[in-house]
Structure formats: structure tokens, C-alpha cells
Amino acid sequence: MLTTTQIINSFVAGETSREEAMRSLHMESYSELLNALADRGIAPSKPSLTQVQAELEAAMPILRMMETAGSDS
């Protein structure tokens, strides 16, 4: 059985996924994991460029729709 510190260190090292760390720590949201990192003075890891690009691609249609809706008023 791993300790909380071991699980967090494994997550920070990239050896454990966010979901796996949260499940092991019985956390329901990512904000809880971020708070656990902050409590230990650890900055959260930055997402990969691929992940950022994928999230932007997914968000752009919504943002464009919102922009268009806003300009109609």
C-alpha cells in the first residue's frame, strides 16, 4: 500500500496518471489533487503541447459560436 506522499510523488514524476492518483487518494476532483500539491509546495505539471492544441481545437468552435452570438446583439 502506497502512502499519500508516494502517490503524489509518482504523479509529479509522470509515473501515475491524474486519474489513477485521484482514485488512489480517494479524490473526486482534480482541484483536490491540485490542493494536495499546493499543500506540499509542489507546482502542478504543465500539459503537453499536444494536449493544449487538442483542447484549443475542441474549444474554438464554441468560442466562434459565442463570438458570433455576441456580435448579433
Side-chain angles (χ1 to χ4, degrees), residues 15-72:
E15 299 165 354
T16 302
S17 71
R18 173 192 307 187
E19 293 78 15
E20 187 178 351
M22 290 170 48
R23 188 172 37 257
S24 297
L25 296 168
H26 307 286
M27 296 178 172
E28 294 184 20
S29 69
Y30 184 49
S31 63
E32 291 180 88
L33 183 55
L34 291 176
N35 286 336
L37 293 174
D39 287 346
R40 289 164 175 74
I42 302 170
S45 60
K46 296 182 179 177
S48 68
L49 180 58
T50 305
Q51 181 181 352
V52 171
Q53 288 172 333
E55 289 177 11
L56 283 173
E57 284 180 31
M60 287 310 293
I62 297 167
L63 294 173
R64 286 189 189 104
M65 187 172 47
M66 290 173 63
E67 181 180 46
T68 302
S71 64
D72 291 341

